[in-house]
Amino acid sequence: MSLNDLFTEIILDHYQHPHNHGIIAEPTMSSRGFNESCGDDIQVSVIVRDGTITDVKFSGAGCSISQASASVMTDLIIGKSVDEVKTLAAKFYEMVKGSGGDYGEELGDAVAFQGVSKFPVRVKCATLGWHTLEEAFKSADKK
Ligand code: ZN
């Protein structure tokens, strides 16, 4: 199995069996994001306690890249601080834009999306969940 096949496998698996799928009834932060160029729609709800993400769920509809990326993201961020997650998001954006860096350890399964850099239209799909999460952080900052 080539690395590309493995990455395709990871993406399809998360698309077909999304992790942390649903809506948290009383989140401390939430946001909804759209990617008009593809029709992706993602809602992210988060519980943050003392600066640490203790729970996150996502729901929505869209292409396999957008939904799988949000699923992978939820796995990565539970138990991390908001600041750590912002750093991870920045690294993910760099990776899908094709920086060529090695993010394996920090980004876990999210490295499966590095091939997206070859398809600029799909970069917005892969980053939608992360951008929506960051919008949720921002909306909470304003309160
Ligand atoms: Zn999409």
Side-chain angles (χ1 to χ4, degrees), residues 25-46:
E26 290 183 25
T28 51
M29 303 171 182
S30 67
S31 188
R32 190 170 173 185
F34 301 96
N35 171 18
E36 280 166 20
S37 59
C38 181
D40 307 318
D41 175 357
I42 282 181
Q43 183 166 356
V44 176
S45 47
V46 194

Side-chain angles (χ1 to χ4, degrees), residues 4 6 9 18 21 25 30 32 36 42-43 70 73 78 82 85 88 92 98 101-102 125 132 134 140-142:
N4 271 333
L6 175 67
E9 234 5 51
H21 198 257
S30 67
R32 190 170 173 185
E36 280 166 20
I42 282 181
Q43 183 166 356
M73 176 189 80
I78 291 178
V82 170
V85 169
L88 272 185
F92 185 77
D102 179 6
C125 303
T132 308
E134 292 204 293
D141 285 345
K142 282 180 206 139

Side-chain angles (χ1 to χ4, degrees), residues 59-70:
S59 64
C63 69
S64 55
I65 303 275
S66 67
Q67 304 297 309
S69 181

Side-chain angles (χ1 to χ4, degrees), residues 1 3 15 20 26 39 45 52-53 60 68 77 87 91-92 97 107:
M1 191 188 259
L3 198 56
Y15 178 55
N20 305 300
E26 290 183 25
S45 47
T52 297
I53 292 156
I77 67 173
T87 307
K91 287 186 174 152
F92 185 77
K97 282 172 189 158
L107 290 176

